[in-house]
Amino acid sequence: MSDTAEKPKEIMFAQACNMALAKAMADDPKVILMGEDIADEQGGGVFKVTLGLSERFGTDRVRSTPISEQAIVGAAVGSAMVGYKPVAEIMLMNFITVAMDQIVNHAAKLRFMSGGQTTVPLTIRTTTGAGTGLGGQHSDMLEAWLAHVPGLKVVAASNPADAYGLLYSSIMDPNPVIFIENTPGYFVKGPAPAPDHVVPLGKASVPREGTDITLIGYGSSISRCHGAADNLAKDGISCEIVDLRTIAPFDEETVLKSVAKTRAAVVVHEAVRNFGVGAEISSRIHEELFSELKAPVGRVGSGYAPVPFSPAIEKAWMFNQDDVEREVHKILG
Amino acid sequence: MSGLGAAFSRLTPYNNSGGPGRWRYEVCKESVPFRGPQCKGAKPLANSDMADKDVLVDIFTRADLIMQSDIKFRQMIGAGQLQIVYYPVRGQEVVSSAMMAAVNKEDYLVTIYRGLHDQLAKGIPSKDLWAEFAGKMAGTCKGKGGPMHITHPETGVMVTTGIVGSGIPIANGLALASQLDKDGKVTVCCFGDGATNIGAFHEGLNMAQIWKLPVIFLCQNNLYSEHTPMAFATSSDSIKQRGEGLGMRSVQVNGNDASAMYAAAKEAVEYARAGHGPTLIEAMTFRFHGHLLGDTSHYIPKEEMEQAKKDDPMPVLRQQLLDLQVSESDIAAIEAKNAAIIEEASQFALDAPYPPGDEYRIDVLDVEIAA
């Protein structure tokens, strides 16, 4: 799974992440990886995202760690301050809760509190997402917590090519970046990126142009936005899709430009709707474009509950394509 | 030698049925360091253990600067000239001075909010440090860090954290970089006894030990975590035991004894530089003031405090210099020079301008924040 292998036309999301890590490590000897079980001897990561990397780059640079999230992030912070570009893997996003002190009080603030004397160019890769039947403590989308902290960048890719380009940019970025992967999405295939494909942080994409309404999402929500847009087109509704790619700081310019054109918007994310990223984006749109909107900005998110275990309830809890379509119809009347 | 051990009494329950909060204080009677469970492993002082004269002069010079700075800070805050939160370090001068005398300027330091002694001992220029404490633009961190968040990479001071114990995992990262770069640097990580009760201590020491990182965990055990005595909140008899439990080379030392502390520090530094890995040093010490300025230390028994002040490490160290034939006038010259440095630094801190309000937009990310 290294980038020296023959490139298939389509690759899986997990493969794209592996290729980006390999490229970053090959390009810069200061890129090091640490996390639980990530070296080949321990299996190359529970989702095999780091498979082959320790064999290629050695266990000095691809370090399996104890189950110690604070120690992992702390070691990443310290080494980042003195010239390294560490990529810490927090196996599942819920485990970030254990390391929040290191992330929020240290990674995010050391540049500021030192008056710019020290910087923390680290990347924390983590994965999460419902639909896997892992229940309440392995599936949460917690991006809003992190996006709320000044000093952190938060990134979520919606397809393999973007994952490749965004992860590479995250590693090379001089700021601490949280890179959120989607567990059920690891095995979704998409067009393979060119080896030098780089996606800049802070820039949204517009994968589908339309005229009636803008669907704004990121990560796993984008495929459902596409599905909804296809269905809505049958009803004569033309949807534009904005894929944020970087959640914080978000590309306000691209979002406002699109909504100024369509004059209607729905923000879609998997995280619970309450106090989510959708609230911030919706509010910004209202502040800037209130008088031009056809209707208030809609929000689609998951239910106000922990992620349930039973497939029947998990499905009911999680937002889906129908919710998006319903919201669009509500807004456009 | 002096009765340095008396203050470091082991706290035991009144009786077997005594619940938390009911403790009596067993004050060490003999003038040998660390009686009782905490005394195990501490070397008794003897003249043959005395550090070189030059080393002790160096340690005294640092420690006196710290003592005078602490006094001046308390005076100025008391007089209303400075309105800042301040964690007094009086009583702990020798621990950090002896530690920092054993490392180089290039070596890294991670410390905590009660860090003035560590920062001065490591060599941050007084003017820069005072200005930061006062929140001024000329400070080490442009006034954006303040007393609890001092950084000064030029002298190796990489992180000062306000979160108890959280510097430990970061110190590992600095040490990891040194290990990978083979640059020969060691990282010193200072914290108090209370920090050994947070998870990061156990995670951090475990990782440092399995990776054999060149890091020294310097626990400055002053027996109180904020207002809580060690025995009330700490399950083990010593911090050293905790290091041993994690498989780490661990020593307990009378941190208030410059020679003993320096010897322990030097040994740990050599051990780390040789690639053998980390050391936990439990340096017994005491603080003569409350957790923060204004705290009356009501929770410290009067006799314990009195004994500690009788054992003040500063006059002891000064006397040691005299015993080694350092002249009174040479010592006075050191003290006068330190006084002048502090006078200049404190005046500089008062006179220097505050940062402009807009400064908050800078250094959040690598680009200026728009609004």
Side-chain angles (χ1 to χ4, degrees):
Chain A
M1 285 229 310
S2 76
D3 65 350
T4 54
E6 198 184 321
K7 301 283 183 309
K9 281 180 191 157
E10 287 218 314
I11 60 167
M12 289 189 297
F13 193 104
Q15 222 176 334
C17 295
N18 178 276
M19 286 162 58
L21 292 169
K23 176 173 163 56
M25 294 192 82
D27 286 359
D28 189 339
K30 290 293 189 183
V31 175
I32 54 174
L33 315 188
M34 52 184 108
E36 293 152 20
D37 296 338
I38 68 167
D40 293 324
E41 204 177 328
Q42 286 75 40
V46 283
F47 299 107
K48 310 291 179 203
V49 175
T50 52
L51 195 67
L53 297 178
S54 72
E55 193 184 323
R56 181 169 165 196
F57 297 103
T59 48
D60 259 5
R61 291 181 67 195
V62 182
R63 309 176 77 93
S64 283
T65 64
I67 299 179
S68 304
E69 281 78 12
Q70 297 186 67
I72 294 166
V73 179
V77 170
S79 56
M81 288 170 74
V82 289
Y84 280 83
K85 295 187 177 82
V87 184
E89 177 176 310
I90 297 297
M91 191 184 285
L92 289 163
M93 192 171 206
N94 285 84
F95 310 160
I96 263 184
T97 55
V98 181
M100 278 301 255
D101 167 51
Q102 290 298 331
I103 297 171
V104 174
N105 287 316
H106 296 93
K109 291 177 185 169
L110 288 177
R111 176 194 280 268
F112 185 84
M113 295 196 307
S114 71
Q117 294 180 95
T118 56
T119 59
V120 188
L122 70 78
T123 304
I124 297 174
R125 285 182 45 245
T126 190
T127 184
T128 189
T132 52
L134 288 171
Q137 295 179 344
H138 283 56
S139 318
D140 273 341
M141 294 294 300
L142 304 173
E143 68 274 16
W145 295 7
L146 299 157
H148 193 64
V149 178
L152 295 179
K153 290 188 177 182
V154 183
V155 173
S158 65
N159 60 73
D162 272 9
Y164 179 81
L166 285 167
L167 180 52
Y168 187 83
S169 293
S170 299
I171 296 167
M172 298 305 167
D173 196 86
N175 303 286
V177 180
I178 315 291
F179 188 87
I180 305 166
E181 296 157 24
N182 182 250
T183 318
Y186 268 148
F187 312 104
V188 173
K189 284 190 172 180
D196 59 353
H197 179 66
V198 172
V199 179
L201 300 191
K203 288 296 291 175
S205 66
V206 183
R208 179 184 183 119
E209 292 192 14
T211 52
D212 295 328
I213 191 164
T214 303
L215 307 180
I216 302 157
Y218 48 88
S220 65
S221 74
I222 293 298
S223 64
R224 271 158 276 189
C225 287
H226 278 293
D230 288 344
N231 267 351
L232 290 161
K234 294 172 197 157
D235 300 330
I237 296 170
S238 164
C239 295
E240 180 147 304
I241 296 175
V242 174
D243 180 351
L244 289 183
R245 302 202 286 200
T246 302
I247 298 165
F250 87 93
D251 183 356
E252 196 171 359
E253 194 186 332
T254 299
V255 168
L256 293 178
K257 198 176 147 204
S258 173
V259 182
K261 180 177 80 176
T262 61
R263 298 171 53 226
V266 178
V267 191
V268 186
H269 54 60
E270 180 181 326
V272 295
R273 191 168 172 272
N274 303 30
F275 297 92
V277 169
E280 170 67 19
I281 293 171
S282 153
S283 180
R284 294 274 195 110
I285 296 169
H286 286 129
E287 283 165 5
E288 298 297 324
L289 299 169
F290 182 70
S291 59
E292 297 165 47
L293 292 173
K294 297 173 206 166
V297 175
R299 284 187 291 148
V300 173
S302 296
Y304 182 67
V307 181
F309 165 69
S310 171
I313 330 173
E314 188 185 43
K315 202 173 166 206
W317 167 87
M318 189 146 142
F319 88 101
N320 61 29
Q321 192 178 303
D322 293 345
D323 297 325
V324 180
E325 290 171 31
R326 205 175 305 119
E327 189 72 11
V328 168
H329 281 301
K330 195 178 99 188
I331 287 170
L332 296 180
Chain B
M1 300 305 297
S2 68
L4 288 166
F8 312 118
S9 53
R10 178 63 191 157
L11 307 160
T12 49
Y14 273 118
N15 52 50
N16 289 340
S17 63
R22 301 191 62 202
W23 306 95
R24 70 187 160 85
Y25 294 80
E26 284 184 346
V27 177
C28 295
K29 292 285 190 291
E30 290 158 81
S31 59
V32 181
F34 312 130
R35 292 288 148 192
Q38 292 183 358
C39 305
K40 283 177 196 165
K43 281 185 194 167
L45 285 177
N47 284 335
S48 58
D49 286 329
M50 196 75 99
D52 289 348
K53 186 159 90 175
D54 289 350
V55 169
L56 284 184
V57 169
D58 177 14
I59 294 171
F60 177 80
T61 305
R62 296 172 202 242
D64 178 69
L65 181 74
I66 295 162
M67 180 178 73
Q68 291 199 48
S69 297
D70 181 83
I71 293 168
K72 184 78 175 176
F73 267 118
R74 284 184 284 115
Q75 278 173 357
M76 286 176 69
I77 294 165
Q81 289 173 288
L82 276 178
Q83 287 167 358
I84 58 168
V85 62
Y86 180 67
Y87 301 88
V89 297
R90 187 69 195 83
Q92 296 188 206
E93 297 91 341
V94 166
V95 180
S96 47
S97 296
M99 180 72 236
M100 302 317 158
V103 297
N104 303 325
K105 189 181 171 186
E106 297 72 34
D107 290 320
Y108 298 129
L109 171 67
V110 175
T111 185
I112 59 159
Y113 58 87
R114 192 186 313 286
L116 178 71
H117 54 326
D118 298 332
Q119 292 141 3
L120 286 173
K122 190 69 173 69
I124 299 184
S126 289
K127 275 172 83 171
D128 305 24
L129 191 61
W130 273 78
E132 187 62 30
F133 268 60
K136 300 301 180 69
M137 188 66 179
T140 51
C141 310
K142 298 193 266 181
K144 291 149 92 170
M148 271 202 267
H149 310 299
I150 300 290
T151 294
H152 193 255
E154 239 174 274
T155 51
V157 183
M158 300 307 290
V159 180
T160 301
T161 179
I163 314 288
V164 167
S166 68
I168 293 166
I170 299 174
N172 281 348
L174 296 166
L176 172 62
S178 294
Q179 186 183 60
L180 291 171
D181 288 340
K182 299 183 174 59
D183 63 12
K185 291 182 192 176
V186 300
T187 298
V188 178
C189 182
C190 298
F191 49 88
D193 47 299
T196 72
N197 289 325
I198 91 159
F201 168 85
H202 301 270
E203 288 193 16
L205 263 66
N206 179 60
M207 184 179 272
Q209 180 61 26
I210 59 169
W211 287 358
K212 298 278 185 284
L213 298 176
V215 57
I216 295 162
F217 299 109
L218 175 58
C219 176
Q220 303 181 16
N221 185 351
N222 62 23
L223 300 175
Y224 287 87
S225 46
E226 301 202 358
H227 301 186
T228 302
M230 179 176 158
F232 186 92
T234 301
S235 61
S236 54
D237 286 337
S238 71
I239 306 307
K240 176 178 172 253
Q241 287 177 345
R242 297 192 156 181
E244 287 166 345
L246 289 156
M248 186 171 294
R249 178 177 183 269
S250 305
V251 296
Q252 189 185 51
V253 64
N254 178 355
N256 284 357
D257 173 5
S259 298
M261 182 62 216
Y262 180 75
K266 207 160 168 287
E267 228 175 1
V269 170
E270 283 164 8
Y271 188 79
R273 285 207 215 284
H276 298 314
T279 297
L280 171 67
I281 301 177
E282 179 184 16
M284 305 308 296
T285 185
F286 206 77
R287 59 172 157 86
F288 294 171
H289 294 277
H291 169 56
L292 52 78
L293 196 57
D295 162 9
T296 58
S297 309
H298 64 275
Y299 45 87
I300 299 178
K302 209 170 139 223
E303 64 271 27
E304 190 179 0
M305 182 63 92
E306 278 170 4
Q307 188 60 54
K309 286 185 175 171
K310 265 187 221 161
D311 297 336
D312 187 340
M314 290 308 293
V316 172
L317 178 56
R318 198 179 192 281
Q319 185 58 48
Q320 283 175 349
L321 295 191
L322 291 169
D323 293 347
L324 287 166
Q325 313 304 319
V326 182
S327 73
E328 175 64 42
S329 65
D330 282 354
I331 296 173
I334 293 169
E335 292 165 338
K337 194 179 166 201
N338 282 339
I341 290 170
I342 291 159
E343 193 51 42
E344 190 198 4
S346 55
Q347 198 56 50
F348 177 72
L350 290 179
D351 296 344
Y354 283 106
D358 273 4
E359 183 62 35
Y360 82 84
R361 292 179 183 171
I362 302 167
D363 301 323
V364 177
L365 293 168
D366 62 320
V367 290
E368 188 171 341
I369 300 305

